Amino acid sequence: AAKGGGRGQYRFFHIDLTDSAKHRRQIEEDLRDALEHGELKMFFQPIVDSKTHMLKSLEALMRWEHPDRGFIPPSQFIPVAEDLGIINGLGEWAIREVCRQAKEWPVELRVAVNVSAVQFARDDLPEIVKSILMETGFEAHRLELEITESVFLGDTDRTQAMFEELKQTGVRLALDDFGTGYSSLSYLQHAPFDKIKIDQSFVRGATEKGNNNPAIMSAIVSLAQSLNMETVAEGVETKDELNLVAERGASLVQGYIFSPAIPQEELLERLASGQLSYEPRGPDK
Ligand code: C2E
Ligand code: MG
Ligand code: MG
Ligand code: MG
């Protein structure tokens, strides 16, 4: 599993080898067939205006419904797919599937798809995106690619060129899990992001007295504003957290307080019946 393909290699060090090698081997084997067997599905989580609570866009999240083992979360199978190099196939399928589905939505909302650092390491990513847009007829400006800071561990010139090529396709770029990647801020000098997603680790605990997270959040929001980028607070679960992130200036919110990721059918029902506004429903604290 150590090969992992190009810049994805660092992933290897995160794998806990004591964590049932057998279980992992089974996931490996099954994952190779999961796509063909139709076991993978894209779910969609609403991204909502922090003040008006209106639906603004969606993030597509992959789900694996294994016939024997039930639902396997992406945190367990995406790293495996990266190591096996099959993330490229899965990732391309995800973008195509999302464009195909979102093209049929009765409301022209934007949709985000996660792109792994391993996919980003492939020079043909912009070509793949372009051909999917052509083939599906989905409007480029409605597609957003979510990328994490880990892509900046690679060659700077290449990363730069990659961003430019992706922007040329007309898609939007979002920086996911911001603040968790151990990278310096210097990469922001030239990064053409449209959106910064504040990682949920900054939301957790933020409402406790004396916590540093609210200050960090304000700093991220003001950084984003001066760079002309929108901000999303991820993982908002309680009303207190919602109030706090809105007060700190994050214009968008994603979290269980509004909705988890839902299947396409459920989303379609909502969109078709014009339910575009959300009610915060969660604990106060
Ligand atoms: P992410 O891109 O940061 O996605 C947000 C994660 O936070 C999702 O987990 C979502 O279900 C979860 N989340 C949202 N609101 C809340 C909340 O209020 N509380 C808590 N505790 N969690 C919340 P999920 O779906 O398990 O995905 C995990 C990660 O797997 C994603 O993190 C992303 O990095 C990766 N992933 C998911 N789908 C894809 C995909 O299609 N392609 C690639 N390359 N990666 C994917
Ligand atoms: Mg994401
Ligand atoms: Mg995230
Ligand atoms: Mg994440």
Side-chain angles (χ1 to χ4, degrees), residues 85-100 113-138 140 143 145 158 162 165-171:
I86 57 178
I87 187 67
N88 294 305
L90 296 193
E92 183 175 338
W93 171 82
I95 300 172
R96 181 173 290 110
E97 182 72 3
V98 165
C99 288
R100 216 177 45 74
V113 184
N114 292 283
V115 170
S116 135
V118 176
Q119 290 171 268
F120 192 87
R122 300 247 318 213
D123 289 333
D124 57 0
L125 180 65
E127 278 309 314
I128 290 171
V129 169
K130 225 186 292 176
S131 69
I132 292 174
L133 290 170
M134 291 265 284
E135 170 196 325
T136 59
F138 191 61
L143 179 64
L145 302 180
R158 187 199 166 271
M162 193 68 169
E165 277 187 63
L166 284 172
K167 287 303 285 188
Q168 274 167 20
T169 68
V171 302

Side-chain angles (χ1 to χ4, degrees), residues 148 176-177 199 234:
T148 61
D176 205 355
D177 305 344
D199 189 70
E234 296 194 271

Side-chain angles (χ1 to χ4, degrees), residues 56-281:
K56 290 294 172 184
S57 65
L58 295 119
E59 176 176 7
L61 294 160
M62 203 181 280
R63 298 288 178 258
W64 182 8
E65 290 172 279
H66 191 282
D68 311 320
R69 263 170 293 166
F71 162 81
I72 303 175
S75 57
Q76 280 189 31
F77 71 84
I78 298 280
V80 177
E82 286 175 334
D83 285 335
L84 295 178
I86 57 178
I87 187 67
N88 294 305
L90 296 193
E92 183 175 338
W93 171 82
I95 300 172
R96 181 173 290 110
E97 182 72 3
V98 165
C99 288
R100 216 177 45 74
Q101 294 186 2
K103 173 99 174 110
E104 305 304 322
W105 293 348
V107 186
E108 292 188 3
L109 292 162
R110 210 175 262 154
V111 63
V113 184
N114 292 283
V115 170
S116 135
V118 176
Q119 290 171 268
F120 192 87
R122 300 247 318 213
D123 289 333
D124 57 0
L125 180 65
E127 278 309 314
I128 290 171
V129 169
K130 225 186 292 176
S131 69
I132 292 174
L133 290 170
M134 291 265 284
E135 170 196 325
T136 59
F138 191 61
E139 302 96 318
H141 67 92
R142 288 179 57 199
L143 179 64
E144 192 164 72
L145 302 180
E146 294 196 1
I147 291 156
T148 61
E149 288 161 299
S150 57
V151 303
F152 296 103
L153 295 173
D155 169 357
T156 313
D157 289 342
R158 187 199 166 271
T159 304
Q160 197 51 47
M162 193 68 169
F163 281 131
E164 272 156 32
E165 277 187 63
L166 284 172
K167 287 303 285 188
Q168 274 167 20
T169 68
V171 302
R172 288 165 45 102
L173 298 177
L175 184 51
D176 205 355
D177 305 344
F178 181 76
T180 61
Y182 300 105
S183 36
S184 85
L185 288 178
S186 62
Y187 68 78
L188 284 177
Q189 288 172 338
H190 309 289
F193 292 106
D194 301 285
K195 187 184 267 180
I196 286 182
K197 302 189 77 175
I198 304 174
D199 189 70
Q200 55 174 286
S201 58
F202 297 111
V203 175
R204 280 299 86 67
T207 55
E208 284 157 30
K209 226 186 242 151
N211 190 292
N212 286 341
N213 288 348
I216 296 172
M217 233 180 265
S218 295
I220 298 176
V221 167
S222 90
L223 175 69
Q225 278 169 351
S226 38
L227 294 170
N228 248 324
M229 301 172 187
E230 292 181 286
T231 40
V232 185
E234 296 194 271
V236 173
E237 295 180 354
T238 69
K239 294 189 176 111
D240 281 357
E241 286 170 355
L242 174 62
N243 291 337
L244 184 126
V245 301
E247 197 180 282
R248 293 285 161 165
S251 56
L252 299 163
V253 164
Q254 178 176 357
Y256 299 162
I257 181 85
F258 290 120
S259 171
I262 56 173
Q264 150 99 344
E265 304 79 65
E266 204 177 307
L267 174 67
L268 276 178
E269 261 172 48
R270 253 199 110 91
L271 295 182
S273 63
Q275 291 172 269
L276 301 181
S277 133
Y278 277 82
E279 208 46 62
R281 23 155 239 211

Side-chain angles (χ1 to χ4, degrees), residues 8-61:
Q9 280 189 12
Y10 58 88
R11 271 286 187 187
F12 178 66
F13 302 104
H14 294 306
I15 294 162
D16 184 359
L17 293 172
T18 60
D19 174 47
S20 164
K22 206 172 134 205
H23 173 71
R24 191 192 143 92
R25 202 154 316 121
Q26 269 206 322
I27 290 196
E28 286 183 12
E29 279 168 23
D30 294 353
L31 193 53
R32 293 185 194 278
D33 303 323
L35 236 191
E36 274 175 53
H37 296 169
E39 292 163 18
L40 296 178
K41 290 204 170 58
M42 299 311 289
F43 274 43
F44 299 92
Q45 186 177 28
I47 297 177
V48 173
D49 186 292
S50 66
K51 297 241 159 71
T52 65
H53 305 171
M54 292 295 291
L55 176 63
K56 290 294 172 184
S57 65
L58 295 119
E59 176 176 7
L61 294 160

